Amino acid sequence: MTKTVLFYARYSTDRQYEVSIETQIELGKAFAEKQGWKLKEIYSDAAVSGTSFNSRPGIQRLLRHITQERIDVVLCVTVDRLSRDVEHSSKILKELRYRDVELWTVHAGTPTTDMELALRAVLSHDLVEQIRYRTREGMKTAVRKGKAATRLAYGYVLSQQRDANGDRIKGLRDIDPAKAEIIRRIFRLYADGMSPQDIASLLNREGVEGPNGIAWRDTAVRGWKNSGTGILNNESYIGRIVWNKRQYRKNPSTERRTARPNDRSEWVVTEVASMRIVSDELWHAARVRDGEVKKLYNSGTTNRLNATQRPEYLLSRLLECAECGGPYAISGKDRYSCTNRKKRLPIEDLGGACCGNSKTITRHELEERVLNCLPVAFYSMEIFERVSEKMIAHEIAMLKKAPSRRAQLEAELKAATQDQTSIIQQISDRIKEGRPRLTALDDELDALEATRTELLSELATTEVAAEDFTEKVAKLKAQFNPANMEVIVRKLIFLARSNADEHAKQQLMPLVRDLIQKVVIGKTPGHQPAALQVHGS
């Protein structure tokens, strides 16, 4: 009687490719045809580890098939294609035995016995553990040599430095200048008090591409402090590679990897100055801001996360109910209402009754009415003089921190010269060893020489940066004088009021919060707009 056969193929992620599946299927078909069997169905799993079971849809469909139809043989090329785990191998074999299904391999050409399957599963499992051990030790050695052993972090590109054979040296990173400036900007915004959520929203509005080419999210900015993830916690940006903070183990029930922290003594830390993007001062400022957020979190009496959130809108957390004194917050689509009334909370000052202020107001109406109060306040508060002084102080601080163009040119020239020397050495070594010259090395050497020529030319015409910033400071004072600041602020107010420009409102937020202490929202008869009382300086 002709036997009915199901064939199973799999390739994992350990340097195998889709063609492996095709090869296995060809071998399986040829073997079944040679035996005179009827190949009923082919199942496969691509890029899935043999140590998994529940997460392999192909093997699950195969096992369901043998419960629904009479099958004589399950065929695979080798036993390790079926599983690399002792427990899973035994489980699969028990299921096949219960259904009177034989397990064959193309490699052996005979039915697989229980002992053979158990021995091969143990050997496969041990091989996986050896590979895992060697991989971790190799990564540890690489980190100690100043090489990155993890995925490419935002702000870096793969270094194109070559070894004596002309092969790219793995694990080295170069800084992406454009993304490095975005990283420094994120640190500055956070240190100045902007929340990760607001930073992500700002970058998305400006069309800045996020990590992996997707939109920015607050989690990409803040990450997790304990694990060192996220832009604000990545120590690579201060030239420090930290590896082995965590170990990963697979949960046998869910087959998902879970992270466990390693003791600090097991961490591998290496300083790599060439990877530094953020200064120590800026990194420290971010850590100070972390402390402020933590203090807010610990002092919260209800949901602690609420206290750590920076204002999302222009008047967030400045709104108060005239009747119960409780906060007004967004409820529904961009409409503010009394939080105490919405939650039906009894108010002690009202004799245990609930707040009766049912008046709501849209965010845009509220912000426009409040912004209408500001121009009058500006003239009486000398606000433009204050803004001018703050802007000038900020720009002078940035001016003193910024490296001169000549220093940048000298750094670029030094890097190009080093790369050129390295390539010349590689070419010389190949000639000594009697190996042919590589065109790629010659082309790269020519490109570097052209770069050096351009840098030298620009360097010759670039003056040495003067120590005295008097002239530049004078220009800043002229640029950011009170009259100009008044024009800028009034333009922002116009955009915020007339066009409801959210970016303009974000820029106005420090000014508004400097002037306004709170906005009290009260009831009015019928459908009249809510009553507003603006309290402030």
Side-chain angles (χ1 to χ4, degrees):
M1 183 179 69
T2 303
K3 292 183 177 182
T4 304
V5 180
L6 297 182
F7 182 77
Y8 178 76
R10 179 188 64 81
Y11 81 90
S12 59
T13 56
D14 52 355
R15 301 181 181 274
Q16 293 178 316
Y17 307 94
E18 290 84 348
V19 69
S20 175
I21 292 280
E22 299 175 8
T23 302
Q24 291 176 55
I25 292 174
E26 289 177 4
L27 291 171
K29 285 181 176 179
F31 184 83
E33 184 179 352
K34 180 180 178 182
Q35 297 292 330
W37 295 342
K38 179 183 178 182
L39 186 57
K40 185 72 176 180
E41 192 67 62
I42 297 174
Y43 294 97
S44 64
D45 284 306
V48 183
S49 171
T51 59
S52 302
F53 179 70
N54 295 327
S55 56
R56 281 194 284 162
I59 195 67
Q60 298 299 327
R61 288 197 298 269
L62 182 145
L63 294 176
R64 283 197 298 271
H65 192 145
I66 66 174
T67 64
Q68 298 167 359
E69 182 181 356
R70 171 63 186 177
I71 299 296
D72 300 303
V73 175
V74 167
L75 177 66
C76 54
V77 174
T78 54
V79 170
D80 63 349
R81 296 302 88 198
L82 197 67
S83 178
R84 284 183 178 271
D85 184 272
V86 176
E87 178 189 358
H88 299 158
S89 297
S90 299
K91 184 176 182 178
I92 293 171
L93 189 59
K94 283 182 180 179
E95 186 69 26
L96 297 182
R97 291 284 187 266
Y98 178 72
R99 304 290 175 182
D100 293 327
V101 180
E102 294 180 329
L103 175 62
W104 284 62
T105 62
V106 175
H107 176 258
T110 57
T112 302
T113 64
D114 293 30
M115 182 176 291
E116 179 186 357
L117 181 65
L119 288 173
R120 291 190 180 278
V122 169
L123 292 173
S124 293
H125 182 81
D126 184 63
L127 178 62
V128 169
E129 292 301 319
Q130 290 183 39
I131 293 173
R132 183 178 291 118
Y133 173 78
R134 289 197 297 267
T135 300
R136 287 186 62 82
E137 290 303 309
M139 293 169 72
K140 185 186 297 183
T141 301
V143 171
R144 285 172 175 165
K145 292 181 177 180
K147 297 180 180 179
T150 55
R151 61 180 295 183
L152 191 66
Y154 183 83
Y156 299 102
V157 295
L158 295 178
S159 175
Q160 296 304 312
Q161 294 186 44
R162 305 283 171 169
D163 59 18
N165 296 323
D167 298 323
R168 186 179 67 81
I169 302 175
K170 297 180 180 179
L172 298 183
R173 304 285 188 262
D174 288 334
I175 295 174
D176 184 323
K179 291 181 178 178
E181 184 53 43
I182 294 170
I183 290 169
R184 286 188 285 267
R185 184 187 180 196
I186 289 173
F187 271 84
R188 286 194 293 268
L189 291 173
Y190 179 69
D192 289 341
M194 186 176 285
S195 72
Q197 184 174 359
D198 290 338
I199 293 172
S201 299
L202 176 62
L203 294 175
N204 287 331
R205 285 196 301 271
E206 294 178 355
V208 178
E209 189 179 82
N212 301 320
I214 60 177
W216 285 93
R217 299 179 62 183
D218 63 319
T219 50
V221 176
R222 59 179 169 81
W224 301 98
K225 188 171 182 61
N226 291 340
S227 56
T229 58
I231 298 295
L232 294 172
N233 298 308
N234 191 340
E235 294 188 65
S236 298
Y237 299 145
I238 55 172
R240 181 182 301 149
I241 299 178
V242 182
W243 181 80
N244 204 35
K245 275 190 173 183
R246 296 174 294 173
Q247 59 174 309
Y248 292 90
R249 295 187 183 180
K250 184 180 290 186
N251 187 320
S253 301
T254 62
E255 294 190 354
R256 292 182 179 275
R257 289 205 317 163
T258 57
R260 298 183 182 181
N262 287 329
D263 186 78
R264 185 175 288 271
S265 62
E266 299 180 35
W267 295 6
V268 180
V269 182
T270 304
E271 301 290 339
V272 185
S274 61
M275 291 181 63
R276 178 182 284 274
I277 292 177
V278 175
S279 66
D280 288 333
E281 293 78 13
L282 195 52
W283 178 267
H284 177 68
R287 303 290 72 83
V288 171
R289 174 77 185 118
D290 286 342
E292 295 172 356
V293 172
K294 184 177 181 180
K295 186 176 180 180
L296 277 173
Y297 177 84
N298 291 333
S299 63
T301 57
T302 55
N303 183 353
R304 291 182 172 182
L305 288 176
N306 289 340
T308 65
Q309 296 297 315
R310 299 299 298 172
E312 182 178 4
Y313 300 120
L314 187 67
L315 300 172
S316 295
R317 299 203 301 275
L318 296 180
L319 307 178
E320 183 179 297
C321 175
E323 182 166 339
C324 69
Y328 255 67
I330 293 287
S331 62
K333 188 175 182 180
D334 255 10
R335 182 173 287 273
Y336 285 101
S337 66
C338 177
T339 301
N340 287 340
R341 175 178 172 78
K342 181 181 179 182
K343 295 181 178 180
R344 298 293 179 182
L345 297 176
I347 307 301
E348 185 176 349
D349 292 343
L350 300 180
C354 293
C355 179
N357 186 359
S358 60
K359 187 62 67 174
T360 64
I361 184 171
T362 64
R363 178 170 67 88
H364 294 297
E365 179 189 348
L366 174 67
E367 291 171 348
E368 183 177 358
R369 289 174 61 183
V370 172
L371 286 173
N372 284 336
C373 303
L374 297 184
V376 176
F378 283 153
Y379 288 114
S380 61
M381 291 294 298
E382 298 182 346
I383 188 69
F384 301 118
E385 286 79 0
R386 291 164 56 193
V387 173
S388 175
E389 291 174 0
K390 289 182 179 179
M391 286 298 298
I392 291 171
H394 173 75
E395 291 297 325
I396 290 175
M398 296 301 296
L399 182 65
K400 292 181 177 180
K401 287 183 180 180
S404 66
R405 176 55 182 162
R406 186 176 183 84
Q408 292 177 344
L409 289 172
E410 289 174 346
E412 292 176 12
L413 180 61
K414 182 179 179 181
T417 303
Q418 290 176 344
D419 291 343
Q420 194 177 48
T421 303
S422 174
I423 293 175
I424 292 173
Q425 184 61 49
Q426 292 177 47
I427 294 174
S428 176
D429 291 343
R430 293 181 67 88
I431 293 174
K432 290 179 181 178
E433 295 170 5
R435 293 189 294 168
R437 294 184 64 168
L438 292 176
T439 305
L441 290 177
D442 291 338
D443 293 343
E444 192 171 349
L445 190 62
D446 292 341
L448 284 170
E449 182 59 29
T451 301
R452 287 185 73 257
T453 302
E454 293 178 5
L455 291 172
L456 287 169
S457 176
E458 185 175 351
L459 194 60
T461 59
T462 303
E463 297 179 357
V464 178
E467 293 291 336
D468 188 7
F469 292 101
T470 305
E471 184 178 347
K472 292 184 178 180
V473 171
K475 289 181 179 179
L476 287 174
K477 289 182 178 180
Q479 179 181 356
F480 295 108
N481 63 66
N484 286 348
M485 293 311 302
E486 180 177 355
V487 173
I488 294 172
V489 172
R490 290 196 174 281
K491 180 180 179 181
L492 289 174
I493 292 175
F494 172 79
L495 292 173
R497 288 170 52 194
S498 304
N499 299 342
D501 189 310
E502 296 297 330
H503 182 55
K505 290 179 181 179
Q506 287 288 334
Q507 292 181 292
L508 279 174
M509 191 178 291
L511 294 177
V512 172
R513 292 178 173 275
D514 188 39
L515 289 171
I516 296 176
Q517 178 185 357
K518 64 179 179 179
V519 179
V520 181
I521 304 175
K523 291 192 296 185
T524 52
H527 296 288
Q528 295 181 26
L532 302 182
Q533 294 179 1
V534 181
H535 299 252
S537 301

